[in-house]
Amino acid sequence: MHPMSEGLKIFKIGGGIIDDDAQLQRFLRELARVPGRKLLVHGGGKGASQMLRDLGQEPQMVQGRRITDAATLNIVTMFYAGKTNKQVVAGLQAAGVNALGLSGADGNAIRAVRRPVRDIDYGFVGDLPADAVNVPLLRQLLETGLLPVFCAITHDGTGQLLNTNADTIASVLACALAPHYAVELHYCFEKDGVLRDVDDDASVIPQITAAEYQHLKAAGIIAAGMVPKLDNAFAALEAGVERVVIEHALRINEPVKTVLCRS
Amino acid sequence: MHPMSEGLKIFKIGGGIIDDDAQLQRFLRELARVPGRKLLVHGGGKGASQMLRDLGQEPQMVQGRRITDAATLNIVTMFYAGKTNKQVVAGLQAAGVNALGLSGADGNAIRAVRRPVRDIDYGFVGDLPADAVNVPLLRQLLETGLLPVFCAITHDGTGQLLNTNADTIASVLACALAPHYAVELHYCFEKDGVLRDVDDDASVIPQITAAEYQHLKAAGIIAAGMVPKLDNAFAALEAGVERVVIEHALRINEPVKTVLCRS
């Protein structure tokens, strides 16, 4: 479908690193050193919840799940699409990378569907259909040498913004772009990779194939919290993504990491 | 320099309309009806000041001028680049227009210089040098059929975001793009145009040339508050902008307006 030279690395960073500006800037400088086409998706961080509380609005929870009511959507849009996205873009510009920040509304880059109400009304939360991604726009931006930086806010096409899971955005982008690039999807977090022993940070498993993953999961070796993430990752590999990498956000240019691959 | 058919209309809207969501949506639907290439610059609105007060931070003033300290920059970035910019983009998408929101940091679209400290330290405020605008990026976005939507946040290239006057952004964009398009710069506000009598909304002056402006100004007919805006507008005309239009934000598709032109 594509020559292997046409690579694209999609990085996803989460809350922990976003809450620590010095670490975030270190990550951005590391990202600047990664060669080739790149795309970044960032999650939220604790700032939005703190600001909701500072404004006297307790985060709404139903059955232990966070609800995005109108006030929450307002604040998370300000935090994710405003503060965090522009800090990341300005930091990448300072590192010599021509980054361009996007929500799903911008250029109709990602069109979501508000999550239907079944047992719980999650509020203004977006789910992503298979055709959510505006592939021609992203190819155009990438081929111009821009690094698209997505926050986890999308829209539904009728003017409604929607809070959307950043892991899902990264994986849907990876799958949508897989027919056009050899896509590597990098989930960056606070560990060096998938650990064989959750209490031993040095027990990183260097590579896991789909078949090995089934064994590790059946044997209970992969921790419960990792399972939804890895299920998702292997689904992305099935859908055409070349490889998924689980790695430490501050050591993306170092060899220690877990590489997930089809076989 | 360009065939007249290659037009570009740059619209600037200010705080009044941004604070009223119903009016903002009406403006966006009117903007969707304007044919041809378009670009939008939006100012702030009162929301950011209100949120600063809600968070217990009084806006900092020195000699009657607003100071953008770090806390204020944080909030205005969230409001302008987050909330307002994404609401505007999502509203235009709903009206069938492929809008894409930008701060000056995105794609290095507008690079500013922090205002030097003389009598007053304005804080994180950006001034725009003549070469501030990334013209190739904007041409590429416009030629793809996108409508760029700028908030009044820029960057300095070293990772610092800067609060920047929206009128100035609109005029600097107009001048930078004037060699490539027949640019019309539209300042939209709450009146139908420049009034001969400030107390009579029906006294709109339909057209003012540079020579007529000097007479009107000397005769004291043009109100004091309008003078800096119009001085700026005529400077843009001198710099190659085809025409500057002063009009009501909700009546951009109606004939009543003031057109400023060189001669």
Side-chain angles (χ1 to χ4, degrees), chain B residues 171-233:
Chain B
S171 128
V172 167
L173 284 168
C175 295
L177 292 164
H180 305 283
Y181 300 102
V183 175
E184 281 186 13
L185 175 54
H186 293 246
Y187 285 112
C188 304
F189 69 143
E190 299 82 33
K191 301 282 181 184
D192 277 323
V194 179
L195 303 179
R196 187 173 289 277
D197 172 359
V198 283
D199 297 322
D200 177 6
D201 281 354
S203 68
V204 175
I205 310 173
Q207 182 171 317
I208 309 177
T209 64
E212 286 164 354
Y213 174 55
Q214 294 309 322
H215 289 298
L216 288 164
K217 197 160 64 164
I221 290 171
I222 286 181
M226 261 288 167
V227 168
K229 259 190 199 304
L230 293 189
D231 281 349
N232 238 324

Side-chain angles (χ1 to χ4, degrees), chain B residues 238-251:
Chain B
E238 277 306 307
V241 173
E242 285 294 318
R243 56 170 67 185
V244 180
V245 180
I246 317 276
E247 65 197 341
H248 196 294
L250 300 179
R251 292 194 275 278

